[in-house]
Amino acid sequence: MRMSQWAHDTFGQRAPLIRQGVAEALSVALENARDAQKVAQTDHLHPFGFTLMSRKFEALAEAFEDMGDVRIVKPGGSQHELVVLDGKLLFPFRYAKDRSLTVMSARIGDGRPSALVQALFNRFGPEPRIRQLTLHDLPPHAVPVAEALGDLPDDTRLVLIAYAANAHAGLLDAWWGEAELLDRFGSLRWHQCEPIPLGHEAGAPASGDSAAAFDQGVLPMPEVNARTGSARRGASPAAEATPIRPEAAGGA
């Protein structure tokens, strides 16, 4: 799949490598979560959900930590490290467990978005086409979180990575782009949204799946840094508050 003008404008000449790295990181996170589910030997999906919740952030950090212009940050209010790549903050979330929901109908969160998610959109999301939540609209507990993001430059841009996945099928599809947060229920208005091609190793459906619209080609994937999160962390973590809950459709 050809790179769009948005991807080139956002990530420059490294856009193809970054897009492939995102696909590979999601694949790693999904496989780790599925492995955890198998080891747990339970019909309940808690092992899959909890593992995916953490690993999707860790895998992105591991994939890009050695690339130039990368910052790995852990803002207050988050249990997870976030990747800021050349001024673009990458934020992955699961918008669906299957293909019954389109990405255009995606919501970020399984209820009300966390204080951190609201603050990220408020500070780094695109200029809204309709009225957006402002700092004064945020609940009181969100204000300290918003202030804690002050270490990031004001021109940081929030790039969303939305994916559909489940414990049985793995990674179904993935998209990236920019959107505004419309309300406290996680509704999004996409300004830019485009698919991320997935290779077979990334959990793409078999060729007989008629729903596979964009993942027919197999792209070479960059090798993900194999170091664990504990090996990477050199700085003491920021104080943790209520963990973020970016997942949609009732789970990680």
Side-chain angles (χ1 to χ4, degrees), residues 131-195:
R131 184 180 181 278
Q132 186 189 35
L133 290 171
T134 67
L135 185 59
H136 299 294
D137 297 323
L138 298 178
H141 68 279
V143 176
V145 175
E147 294 173 347
L149 296 171
D151 289 341
L152 294 177
D154 289 336
D155 60 354
T156 300
R157 289 168 57 186
L158 179 64
V159 174
L160 301 179
I161 300 168
Y163 63 93
N166 62 60
H168 174 71
L171 186 61
L172 298 174
D173 60 37
W175 307 74
W176 65 350
E178 296 178 271
E180 61 184 279
L181 183 64
L182 295 180
D183 53 41
R184 291 194 179 94
F185 302 101
S187 303
L188 300 174
R189 180 189 295 274
W190 290 97
H191 290 208
Q192 178 68 37
C193 184
E194 59 186 52

